[in-house]
Amino acid sequence: MFSFNTPHTPPTAKDDDLAFIRLIRSRRVGPATFHRMMEEHGNAADALAALPDMARHAGVEDYQPCPAGVAAAELKAGRKSGARLIRCDAHDYPPLLRAIPDAPPLIWVKGNLSALSRPKLAVIGARNASSLGLRMARGISAALAEMGVAVTSGLARGIDSAAHEASLRHGTIAVMAGGIDMIYPAENRILAATICDRGCLISEQPPGMEPVARHFPLRNRIISGLSHAVVVVEAAAKSGSLITARDALDQGREVLAVPGHPVDGRAGGCNQLIRDGATLVRNAEDVIEAVETLQAALFGEDGRDGGDQSGGGAGPQGEPDGRQGQMPPTDAAARSADTARGERGAAALPARLAQKITPARPGLPLPHRGASHDPQAERRILARLSPSPTDENTLIRETGITAETLAPLLIKLELEGRLSRMAGGQISLV
C-alpha cells in the first residue's frame, strides 16, 4: 500500500467540544488542572492524550480519561434541554468570569444570551429572609435592573428568588448548582422558565446532575466571578452568602452589605461584613456610587462595559455568532463593538433615570439619591411613631409611603438612632 503524508486537519468545533468535555469530566481534573494542561499542551485533544502518562507519573495506574460516549451524551442532553455550550475560549464567554483563576472551562447557558453581555452585579442573601430583607432585595434589584444591570443570583429561596423576581422584566441571570435542567428548589420551576425569556440560566455541571452540597460553593464562585460586585442583603453569621463574599474578595470584587438590627440573627453576617470593611449600602444608588467599575460600565463616557468587552456574541434569542472556539477580538475591534453597544444602551435608558444622573466626581456620573434623603417623608414617619411599638404595615398604610421607599428610610433613621426595631417588624421611637 502507498502512504501519503497529509497536512494535519484541524478538529471540527464538535470534536473540540467533545475534547473539552472529556478533559474537564475526567477523574482528578478540576478547573485549575484543566487550565494548566491547556497552557502546557495548547489544545484539549493533546491535553487529553497526555492524561494517562501524567496519572502514571503521579502513581495512578490504569487511568482512563472520560469516555467519548459520555461526552457525546452530555452534548446531546444539553441541546435537548434547549441549552447552549459556551467554552472558556469562546468569544461570548463572559470576560469577567474568564479572569478568575478557577474559571469554569465550560458553561451551559439556557435562555437569552444577550444578558451575559450586560454589566452584572450579584444580589444574594438568606433563604429564610425576613419581610424587610425581601423588600430590600426587591427594591435594590428592581432599581439596578432599570439602570441596565443584569442582576445575578443563585435561584435559591428567599433573597435570591426576590432578586430574580424583581429584575425579571429587564433580564436576570441565575447560576445553578446542579445541571442546567435540574431546577432546585423545585418550587422555582416557573421562576426559572420565566427567567429564560429575557435572562438566562447558567451551570457548569453536566445536564441531569442533581445538585449536592459540594456543588454550592462552586456555584458561588461563578455568581461572584460574573459580577462587578456582590451585595449581601441579609445573611446569618455562618451562611453560604459569606462564602460568596469571600470568593468575591479573592477575585478582586467589591463586597457590599445591607445593615440589620444587631439582635436579628439573620443580619449577623451582613453586620460582620460591614465591621470587617464591606461597604454599607441602603439602596441601588449607594451600590452604584460604591462600585466604580459598574459606574464606568453603565455611565462611562465611551459607553463601554467596564468588564464585559466581548460584544455579546449572540442575538436577542441567544443564537450563536459562529465564533465558538475563537478567542476575543483585537482591542481595536472590541473597542468598536463596545462603543456601538454602549451607545445603544445609553439611548435605551429611561428618560427619568437619565435626568437624575449628576456628576459626583469627574467623568463618573451617578444617579441622584432619592427616597433615602427625603426629609418630608422622614418627618411623616416620625410623626406617626411613638414610644409604643407600631407595625410596619400600619406605618405604610398611615403614611402612604411605599414599602420600597420606606425600607431605606427606616434603615437610615435607625442608624441615626432615631427609632428602634423589635421582633415581629415592630418599630418605635427611641
mmCIF file of all heavy atoms in Angstrom, residues 6 10 268 328:
data_model
loop_
_atom_site.group_PDB
_atom_site.id
_atom_site.type_symbol
_atom_site.label_atom_id
_atom_site.label_comp_id
_atom_site.label_asym_id
_atom_site.label_seq_id
_atom_site.Cartn_x
_atom_site.Cartn_y
_atom_site.Cartn_z
ATOM 1 N N THR A 6 -0.253 13.655 4.785
ATOM 2 C CA THR A 6 -1.269 14.688 4.560
ATOM 3 C C THR A 6 -1.178 15.711 5.663
ATOM 4 O O THR A 6 -0.825 15.388 6.803
ATOM 5 C CB THR A 6 -2.682 14.072 4.555
ATOM 6 O OG1 THR A 6 -2.870 13.386 5.792
ATOM 7 C CG2 THR A 6 -2.833 13.105 3.399
ATOM 8 N N PRO A 10 -7.427 20.438 11.184
ATOM 9 C CA PRO A 10 -7.881 20.909 12.499
ATOM 10 C C PRO A 10 -9.183 20.231 12.890
ATOM 11 O O PRO A 10 -10.026 19.931 12.027
ATOM 12 C CB PRO A 10 -8.091 22.423 12.282
ATOM 13 C CG PRO A 10 -7.312 22.758 11.055
ATOM 14 C CD PRO A 10 -7.315 21.520 10.204
ATOM 15 N N GLY A 268 -26.717 38.988 61.127
ATOM 16 C CA GLY A 268 -25.398 38.882 61.745
ATOM 17 C C GLY A 268 -24.260 38.862 60.742
ATOM 18 O O GLY A 268 -23.213 39.480 60.957
ATOM 19 N N PRO A 328 -11.246 36.236 22.129
ATOM 20 C CA PRO A 328 -11.849 37.544 21.908
ATOM 21 C C PRO A 328 -11.126 38.321 20.816
ATOM 22 O O PRO A 328 -9.952 38.078 20.530
ATOM 23 C CB PRO A 328 -11.684 38.240 23.265
ATOM 24 C CG PRO A 328 -11.610 37.127 24.238
ATOM 25 C CD PRO A 328 -10.902 36.019 23.529
#
